[in-house]
Each structure stands twice: as structure tokens, then as C-alpha cells.
mmCIF file of all heavy atoms in Angstrom:
data_model
loop_
_atom_site.group_PDB
_atom_site.id
_atom_site.type_symbol
_atom_site.label_atom_id
_atom_site.label_comp_id
_atom_site.label_asym_id
_atom_site.label_seq_id
_atom_site.Cartn_x
_atom_site.Cartn_y
_atom_site.Cartn_z
ATOM 1 N N HIS A 6 -19.862 5.474 -4.553
ATOM 2 C CA HIS A 6 -19.244 6.791 -4.730
ATOM 3 C C HIS A 6 -18.911 7.013 -6.205
ATOM 4 O O HIS A 6 -18.209 8.035 -6.505
ATOM 5 C CB HIS A 6 -17.961 6.896 -3.868
ATOM 6 C CG HIS A 6 -18.218 7.014 -2.450
ATOM 7 N ND1 HIS A 6 -18.385 8.163 -1.802
ATOM 8 C CD2 HIS A 6 -18.305 6.080 -1.498
ATOM 9 C CE1 HIS A 6 -18.519 7.983 -0.454
ATOM 10 N NE2 HIS A 6 -18.488 6.691 -0.289
ATOM 11 N N ALA A 7 -19.222 6.089 -7.110
ATOM 12 C CA ALA A 7 -18.740 6.130 -8.495
ATOM 13 C C ALA A 7 -18.953 7.566 -9.128
ATOM 14 O O ALA A 7 -20.109 8.033 -9.099
ATOM 15 C CB ALA A 7 -19.418 5.061 -9.270
ATOM 16 N N GLN A 8 -17.885 8.060 -9.646
ATOM 17 C CA GLN A 8 -17.952 9.371 -10.362
ATOM 18 C C GLN A 8 -17.210 9.215 -11.681
ATOM 19 O O GLN A 8 -16.055 9.586 -11.823
ATOM 20 C CB GLN A 8 -17.305 10.520 -9.529
ATOM 21 C CG GLN A 8 -17.993 10.772 -8.196
ATOM 22 C CD GLN A 8 -17.492 11.946 -7.504
ATOM 23 O OE1 GLN A 8 -17.144 12.900 -8.125
ATOM 24 N NE2 GLN A 8 -17.371 11.874 -6.176
ATOM 25 N N SER A 9 -17.818 8.569 -12.680
ATOM 26 C CA SER A 9 -17.189 8.174 -13.852
ATOM 27 C C SER A 9 -16.785 9.353 -14.709
ATOM 28 O O SER A 9 -15.933 9.290 -15.587
ATOM 29 C CB SER A 9 -18.124 7.267 -14.664
ATOM 30 O OG SER A 9 -19.299 7.928 -14.965
ATOM 31 N N SER A 10 -17.322 10.534 -14.471
ATOM 32 C CA SER A 10 -17.014 11.714 -15.296
ATOM 33 C C SER A 10 -15.735 12.405 -14.824
ATOM 34 O O SER A 10 -15.315 13.298 -15.490
ATOM 35 C CB SER A 10 -18.194 12.718 -15.190
ATOM 36 O OG SER A 10 -18.327 13.201 -13.881
ATOM 37 N N GLN A 11 -15.174 11.974 -13.703
ATOM 38 C CA GLN A 11 -13.984 12.603 -13.249
ATOM 39 C C GLN A 11 -12.871 11.542 -13.087
ATOM 40 O O GLN A 11 -13.114 10.380 -12.930
ATOM 41 C CB GLN A 11 -14.257 13.299 -11.923
ATOM 42 C CG GLN A 11 -15.235 14.458 -12.010
ATOM 43 C CD GLN A 11 -15.264 15.261 -10.721
ATOM 44 O OE1 GLN A 11 -14.194 15.755 -10.296
ATOM 45 N NE2 GLN A 11 -16.426 15.467 -10.154
ATOM 46 N N TYR A 12 -11.581 12.070 -13.070
ATOM 47 C CA TYR A 12 -10.472 11.163 -12.999
ATOM 48 C C TYR A 12 -9.389 11.870 -12.203
ATOM 49 O O TYR A 12 -9.132 13.029 -12.412
ATOM 50 C CB TYR A 12 -9.988 10.936 -14.471
ATOM 51 C CG TYR A 12 -8.860 9.944 -14.564
ATOM 52 C CD1 TYR A 12 -9.027 8.649 -14.218
ATOM 53 C CD2 TYR A 12 -7.681 10.409 -15.117
ATOM 54 C CE1 TYR A 12 -7.964 7.749 -14.360
ATOM 55 C CE2 TYR A 12 -6.598 9.465 -15.270
ATOM 56 C CZ TYR A 12 -6.747 8.149 -14.944
ATOM 57 O OH TYR A 12 -5.720 7.254 -15.065
ATOM 58 N N TRP A 13 -8.701 11.056 -11.301
ATOM 59 C CA TRP A 13 -7.601 11.579 -10.520
ATOM 60 C C TRP A 13 -6.352 10.782 -10.879
ATOM 61 O O TRP A 13 -6.138 9.727 -10.354
ATOM 62 C CB TRP A 13 -7.985 11.477 -9.040
ATOM 63 C CG TRP A 13 -9.132 12.420 -8.697
ATOM 64 C CD1 TRP A 13 -8.937 13.698 -8.209
ATOM 65 C CD2 TRP A 13 -10.478 12.196 -8.807
ATOM 66 N NE1 TRP A 13 -10.203 14.289 -8.044
ATOM 67 C CE2 TRP A 13 -11.128 13.338 -8.422
ATOM 68 C CE3 TRP A 13 -11.243 11.091 -9.160
ATOM 69 C CZ2 TRP A 13 -12.519 13.496 -8.316
ATOM 70 C CZ3 TRP A 13 -12.646 11.215 -9.166
ATOM 71 C CH2 TRP A 13 -13.285 12.377 -8.716
ATOM 72 N N PRO A 14 -5.611 11.260 -11.885
ATOM 73 C CA PRO A 14 -4.533 10.425 -12.482
ATOM 74 C C PRO A 14 -3.497 9.957 -11.545
ATOM 75 O O PRO A 14 -2.977 8.880 -11.582
ATOM 76 C CB PRO A 14 -4.034 11.261 -13.642
ATOM 77 C CG PRO A 14 -4.423 12.686 -13.319
ATOM 78 C CD PRO A 14 -5.704 12.523 -12.542
ATOM 79 N N ARG A 15 -3.059 10.898 -10.590
ATOM 80 C CA ARG A 15 -2.002 10.544 -9.674
ATOM 81 C C ARG A 15 -2.506 9.464 -8.712
ATOM 82 O O ARG A 15 -1.748 8.551 -8.426
ATOM 83 C CB ARG A 15 -1.519 11.792 -8.909
ATOM 84 C CG ARG A 15 -0.860 12.826 -9.802
ATOM 85 C CD ARG A 15 -0.534 14.003 -8.859
ATOM 86 N NE ARG A 15 -0.175 15.192 -9.665
ATOM 87 C CZ ARG A 15 0.021 16.432 -9.110
ATOM 88 N NH1 ARG A 15 -0.158 16.567 -7.834
ATOM 89 N NH2 ARG A 15 0.318 17.464 -9.885
ATOM 90 N N CYS A 16 -3.670 9.587 -8.246
ATOM 91 C CA CYS A 16 -4.239 8.589 -7.333
ATOM 92 C C CYS A 16 -4.367 7.243 -8.060
ATOM 93 O O CYS A 16 -4.014 6.184 -7.505
ATOM 94 C CB CYS A 16 -5.589 9.027 -6.781
ATOM 95 S SG CYS A 16 -6.346 7.842 -5.664
ATOM 96 N N GLU A 17 -4.808 7.298 -9.242
ATOM 97 C CA GLU A 17 -4.987 6.073 -10.036
ATOM 98 C C GLU A 17 -3.673 5.317 -10.196
ATOM 99 O O GLU A 17 -3.580 4.121 -10.039
ATOM 100 C CB GLU A 17 -5.583 6.382 -11.425
ATOM 101 C CG GLU A 17 -6.238 5.233 -12.133
ATOM 102 C CD GLU A 17 -7.533 4.788 -11.515
ATOM 103 O OE1 GLU A 17 -8.167 5.624 -10.756
ATOM 104 O OE2 GLU A 17 -7.923 3.663 -11.694
ATOM 105 N N ALA A 18 -2.617 6.073 -10.575
ATOM 106 C CA ALA A 18 -1.310 5.474 -10.797
ATOM 107 C C ALA A 18 -0.754 4.974 -9.463
ATOM 108 O O ALA A 18 -0.154 3.854 -9.365
ATOM 109 C CB ALA A 18 -0.323 6.526 -11.357
ATOM 110 N N PHE A 19 -0.962 5.681 -8.380
ATOM 111 C CA PHE A 19 -0.441 5.361 -7.037
ATOM 112 C C PHE A 19 -1.120 4.039 -6.612
ATOM 113 O O PHE A 19 -0.416 3.084 -6.180
ATOM 114 C CB PHE A 19 -0.811 6.474 -6.063
ATOM 115 C CG PHE A 19 -0.163 6.360 -4.718
ATOM 116 C CD1 PHE A 19 1.094 6.840 -4.509
ATOM 117 C CD2 PHE A 19 -0.879 5.756 -3.687
ATOM 118 C CE1 PHE A 19 1.659 6.840 -3.210
ATOM 119 C CE2 PHE A 19 -0.281 5.636 -2.395
ATOM 120 C CZ PHE A 19 0.978 6.233 -2.178
ATOM 121 N N TYR A 20 -2.427 3.972 -6.778
ATOM 122 C CA TYR A 20 -3.155 2.785 -6.290
ATOM 123 C C TYR A 20 -2.658 1.495 -7.062
ATOM 124 O O TYR A 20 -2.548 0.419 -6.413
ATOM 125 C CB TYR A 20 -4.636 3.018 -6.606
ATOM 126 C CG TYR A 20 -5.459 1.711 -6.538
ATOM 127 C CD1 TYR A 20 -5.581 0.960 -5.296
ATOM 128 C CD2 TYR A 20 -6.101 1.195 -7.637
ATOM 129 C CE1 TYR A 20 -6.302 -0.213 -5.243
ATOM 130 C CE2 TYR A 20 -6.831 -0.007 -7.594
ATOM 131 C CZ TYR A 20 -6.924 -0.664 -6.347
ATOM 132 O OH TYR A 20 -7.627 -1.878 -6.307
ATOM 133 N N ARG A 21 -2.305 1.589 -8.337
ATOM 134 C CA ARG A 21 -1.827 0.424 -9.059
ATOM 135 C C ARG A 21 -0.537 -0.071 -8.618
ATOM 136 O O ARG A 21 -0.130 -1.215 -9.009
ATOM 137 C CB ARG A 21 -1.828 0.753 -10.584
ATOM 138 C CG ARG A 21 -3.210 0.968 -11.213
ATOM 139 C CD ARG A 21 -3.110 0.877 -12.730
ATOM 140 N NE ARG A 21 -2.312 1.919 -13.269
ATOM 141 C CZ ARG A 21 -2.794 3.042 -13.764
ATOM 142 N NH1 ARG A 21 -4.067 3.352 -13.652
ATOM 143 N NH2 ARG A 21 -1.967 3.961 -14.240
ATOM 144 N N GLN A 22 0.196 0.670 -7.777
ATOM 145 C CA GLN A 22 1.527 0.293 -7.392
ATOM 146 C C GLN A 22 1.652 -0.114 -5.978
ATOM 147 O O GLN A 22 2.711 -0.749 -5.591
ATOM 148 C CB GLN A 22 2.491 1.448 -7.619
ATOM 149 C CG GLN A 22 2.655 1.905 -9.049
ATOM 150 C CD GLN A 22 3.568 3.115 -9.159
ATOM 151 O OE1 GLN A 22 3.151 4.264 -9.076
ATOM 152 N NE2 GLN A 22 4.864 2.784 -9.369
ATOM 153 N N ILE A 23 0.716 0.153 -5.059
ATOM 154 C CA ILE A 23 1.032 0.054 -3.654
ATOM 155 C C ILE A 23 0.653 -1.285 -2.998
ATOM 156 O O ILE A 23 -0.265 -1.939 -3.360
ATOM 157 C CB ILE A 23 0.265 1.200 -2.854
ATOM 158 C CG1 ILE A 23 -1.206 1.198 -3.234
ATOM 159 C CG2 ILE A 23 0.912 2.537 -3.099
ATOM 160 C CD1 ILE A 23 -2.055 2.144 -2.400
ATOM 161 N N ILE A 24 1.462 -1.623 -2.017
ATOM 162 C CA ILE A 24 1.189 -2.760 -1.116
ATOM 163 C C ILE A 24 1.680 -2.319 0.282
ATOM 164 O O ILE A 24 2.757 -1.696 0.432
ATOM 165 C CB ILE A 24 1.940 -4.045 -1.552
ATOM 166 C CG1 ILE A 24 1.466 -4.583 -2.887
ATOM 167 C CG2 ILE A 24 1.828 -5.146 -0.500
ATOM 168 C CD1 ILE A 24 2.159 -5.802 -3.322
ATOM 169 N N SER A 25 0.918 -2.688 1.318
ATOM 170 C CA SER A 25 1.334 -2.383 2.660
ATOM 171 C C SER A 25 1.917 -3.672 3.250
ATOM 172 O O SER A 25 1.321 -4.712 3.268
ATOM 173 C CB SER A 25 0.162 -1.957 3.528
ATOM 174 O OG SER A 25 -0.394 -0.702 3.110
ATOM 175 N N LEU A 26 3.201 -3.573 3.753
ATOM 176 C CA LEU A 26 3.865 -4.627 4.413
ATOM 177 C C LEU A 26 3.564 -4.695 5.863
ATOM 178 O O LEU A 26 3.121 -3.665 6.467
ATOM 179 C CB LEU A 26 5.388 -4.577 4.138
ATOM 180 C CG LEU A 26 5.851 -4.595 2.694
ATOM 181 C CD1 LEU A 26 7.407 -4.356 2.690
ATOM 182 C CD2 LEU A 26 5.439 -5.873 2.025
ATOM 183 N N PRO A 27 3.834 -5.770 6.581
ATOM 184 C CA PRO A 27 3.607 -5.856 8.011
ATOM 185 C C PRO A 27 4.375 -4.814 8.800
ATOM 186 O O PRO A 27 5.550 -4.567 8.517
ATOM 187 C CB PRO A 27 4.089 -7.249 8.381
ATOM 188 C CG PRO A 27 3.820 -8.062 7.168
ATOM 189 C CD PRO A 27 4.149 -7.109 6.031
ATOM 190 N N LEU A 28 3.770 -4.072 9.723
ATOM 191 C CA LEU A 28 4.432 -3.135 10.623
ATOM 192 C C LEU A 28 3.563 -2.948 11.818
ATOM 193 O O LEU A 28 2.398 -2.595 11.748
ATOM 194 C CB LEU A 28 4.583 -1.763 9.852
ATOM 195 C CG LEU A 28 5.261 -0.663 10.672
ATOM 196 C CD1 LEU A 28 6.719 -1.061 10.864
ATOM 197 C CD2 LEU A 28 5.116 0.645 9.958
ATOM 198 N N PHE A 29 4.170 -3.233 13.016
ATOM 199 C CA PHE A 29 3.516 -3.021 14.275
ATOM 200 C C PHE A 29 4.540 -3.045 15.328
ATOM 201 O O PHE A 29 5.648 -3.639 15.121
ATOM 202 C CB PHE A 29 2.411 -4.107 14.494
ATOM 203 C CG PHE A 29 2.854 -5.500 14.160
ATOM 204 C CD1 PHE A 29 3.327 -6.334 15.132
ATOM 205 C CD2 PHE A 29 2.744 -5.941 12.874
ATOM 206 C CE1 PHE A 29 3.735 -7.633 14.835
ATOM 207 C CE2 PHE A 29 3.059 -7.287 12.574
ATOM 208 C CZ PHE A 29 3.605 -8.098 13.527
ATOM 209 N N PRO A 30 4.364 -2.331 16.447
ATOM 210 C CA PRO A 30 5.477 -2.167 17.474
ATOM 211 C C PRO A 30 6.046 -3.412 18.003
ATOM 212 O O PRO A 30 7.219 -3.518 18.292
ATOM 213 C CB PRO A 30 4.779 -1.309 18.580
ATOM 214 C CG PRO A 30 3.713 -0.578 17.899
ATOM 215 C CD PRO A 30 3.167 -1.546 16.804
ATOM 216 N N ARG A 31 5.205 -4.510 18.188
ATOM 217 C CA ARG A 31 5.749 -5.735 18.803
ATOM 218 C C ARG A 31 6.350 -6.685 17.751
ATOM 219 O O ARG A 31 6.718 -7.824 17.970
ATOM 220 C CB ARG A 31 4.666 -6.426 19.557
ATOM 221 C CG ARG A 31 3.520 -6.958 18.810
ATOM 222 C CD ARG A 31 2.454 -7.617 19.698
ATOM 223 N NE ARG A 31 1.264 -8.013 19.008
ATOM 224 C CZ ARG A 31 1.125 -9.223 18.416
ATOM 225 N NH1 ARG A 31 2.108 -10.083 18.422
ATOM 226 N NH2 ARG A 31 0.013 -9.485 17.779
ATOM 227 N N MET A 32 6.388 -6.148 16.460
ATOM 228 C CA MET A 32 7.034 -6.935 15.390
ATOM 229 C C MET A 32 8.519 -7.194 15.791
ATOM 230 O O MET A 32 9.268 -6.244 16.089
ATOM 231 C CB MET A 32 6.914 -6.254 14.085
ATOM 232 C CG MET A 32 7.442 -6.959 12.893
ATOM 233 S SD MET A 32 7.272 -6.001 11.364
ATOM 234 C CE MET A 32 7.548 -7.250 10.125
ATOM 235 N N THR A 33 8.938 -8.444 15.630
ATOM 236 C CA THR A 33 10.365 -8.729 16.003
ATOM 237 C C THR A 33 11.230 -8.584 14.696
ATOM 238 O O THR A 33 10.748 -8.564 13.643
ATOM 239 C CB THR A 33 10.501 -10.171 16.455
ATOM 240 O OG1 THR A 33 10.162 -11.087 15.417
ATOM 241 C CG2 THR A 33 9.586 -10.391 17.682
ATOM 242 N N ASN A 34 12.544 -8.428 14.979
ATOM 243 C CA ASN A 34 13.462 -8.430 13.850
ATOM 244 C C ASN A 34 13.425 -9.672 13.018
ATOM 245 O O ASN A 34 13.532 -9.613 11.772
ATOM 246 C CB ASN A 34 14.910 -8.181 14.365
ATOM 247 C CG ASN A 34 15.115 -6.752 14.874
ATOM 248 O OD1 ASN A 34 14.234 -5.904 14.753
ATOM 249 N ND2 ASN A 34 16.289 -6.495 15.361
ATOM 250 N N ALA A 35 13.188 -10.799 13.701
ATOM 251 C CA ALA A 35 13.071 -12.092 12.967
ATOM 252 C C ALA A 35 11.903 -12.061 12.057
ATOM 253 O O ALA A 35 11.946 -12.637 10.939
ATOM 254 C CB ALA A 35 13.048 -13.218 13.979
ATOM 255 N N GLU A 36 10.803 -11.531 12.513
ATOM 256 C CA GLU A 36 9.585 -11.430 11.659
ATOM 257 C C GLU A 36 9.867 -10.552 10.474
ATOM 258 O O GLU A 36 9.495 -10.878 9.362
ATOM 259 C CB GLU A 36 8.415 -10.960 12.453
ATOM 260 C CG GLU A 36 7.849 -11.960 13.404
ATOM 261 C CD GLU A 36 6.716 -11.413 14.315
ATOM 262 O OE1 GLU A 36 6.826 -10.245 14.740
ATOM 263 O OE2 GLU A 36 5.817 -12.152 14.570
ATOM 264 N N GLN A 37 10.509 -9.451 10.725
ATOM 265 C CA GLN A 37 10.822 -8.485 9.650
ATOM 266 C C GLN A 37 11.792 -9.181 8.637
ATOM 267 O O GLN A 37 11.697 -9.031 7.440
ATOM 268 C CB GLN A 37 11.422 -7.208 10.187
ATOM 269 C CG GLN A 37 11.533 -6.129 9.099
ATOM 270 C CD GLN A 37 11.975 -4.815 9.655
ATOM 271 O OE1 GLN A 37 12.798 -4.793 10.610
ATOM 272 N NE2 GLN A 37 11.394 -3.728 9.212
ATOM 273 N N ASP A 38 12.788 -9.954 9.173
ATOM 274 C CA ASP A 38 13.690 -10.702 8.296
ATOM 275 C C ASP A 38 12.930 -11.629 7.350
ATOM 276 O O ASP A 38 13.310 -11.788 6.188
ATOM 277 C CB ASP A 38 14.712 -11.466 9.136
ATOM 278 C CG ASP A 38 15.682 -10.544 9.909
ATOM 279 O OD1 ASP A 38 15.797 -9.375 9.599
ATOM 280 O OD2 ASP A 38 16.306 -11.097 10.885
ATOM 281 N N GLU A 39 11.907 -12.252 7.948
ATOM 282 C CA GLU A 39 11.144 -13.244 7.136
ATOM 283 C C GLU A 39 10.390 -12.455 6.028
ATOM 284 O O GLU A 39 10.350 -12.966 4.885
ATOM 285 C CB GLU A 39 10.139 -13.976 8.018
ATOM 286 C CG GLU A 39 9.260 -14.906 7.298
ATOM 287 C CD GLU A 39 10.009 -16.143 6.646
ATOM 288 O OE1 GLU A 39 11.162 -16.392 7.054
ATOM 289 O OE2 GLU A 39 9.438 -16.751 5.812
ATOM 290 N N VAL A 40 9.839 -11.320 6.296
ATOM 291 C CA VAL A 40 9.166 -10.536 5.275
ATOM 292 C C VAL A 40 10.142 -10.215 4.156
ATOM 293 O O VAL A 40 9.866 -10.400 2.938
ATOM 294 C CB VAL A 40 8.547 -9.253 5.868
ATOM 295 C CG1 VAL A 40 7.992 -8.338 4.770
ATOM 296 C CG2 VAL A 40 7.525 -9.594 6.868
ATOM 297 N N VAL A 41 11.332 -9.687 4.508
ATOM 298 C CA VAL A 41 12.317 -9.274 3.495
ATOM 299 C C VAL A 41 12.772 -10.514 2.705
ATOM 300 O O VAL A 41 12.987 -10.414 1.488
ATOM 301 C CB VAL A 41 13.507 -8.603 4.187
ATOM 302 C CG1 VAL A 41 14.589 -8.268 3.137
ATOM 303 C CG2 VAL A 41 13.010 -7.278 4.778
ATOM 304 N N LYS A 42 12.992 -11.610 3.361
ATOM 305 C CA LYS A 42 13.407 -12.889 2.726
ATOM 306 C C LYS A 42 12.384 -13.284 1.621
ATOM 307 O O LYS A 42 12.735 -13.639 0.452
ATOM 308 C CB LYS A 42 13.532 -13.957 3.738
ATOM 309 C CG LYS A 42 13.897 -15.357 3.171
ATOM 310 C CD LYS A 42 13.823 -16.425 4.167
ATOM 311 C CE LYS A 42 14.011 -17.785 3.555
ATOM 312 N NZ LYS A 42 13.867 -18.850 4.500
#
């Protein structure tokens, strides 16, 4: 999909910052405590 002639600055900045943490309905509080720890 490379489009070197265009630039999406907000997306670029957003991508450099993001991480997805564990999240699912059967996640226990203990598991979440471990993530935060």
C-alpha cells in the first residue's frame, strides 16, 4: 500500500505511541493486577 508522496501526521504520531494491553471478558482481577504490576 506504500504511498510515499502522502503523509498522515496524526496517524503517524499516534502509531509511535500505542500499545494494546490485555482485555477480554473472562480476564480476572488477579490477571489485571499482574498487568498493572
Side-chain angles (χ1 to χ4, degrees):
H6 290 269
Q8 298 187 39
S9 58
S10 63
Q11 297 192 53
Y12 184 64
W13 292 269
R15 295 179 193 169
C16 180
E17 199 72 21
F19 190 89
Y20 166 64
R21 289 197 297 266
Q22 294 179 273
I23 53 174
I24 295 179
S25 297
L26 299 179
L28 181 68
F29 44 95
R31 64 182 177 88
M32 186 181 195
T33 65
N34 286 358
E36 288 174 320
Q37 191 175 39
D38 291 344
E39 179 64 19
V40 175
V41 175
K42 176 187 172 185

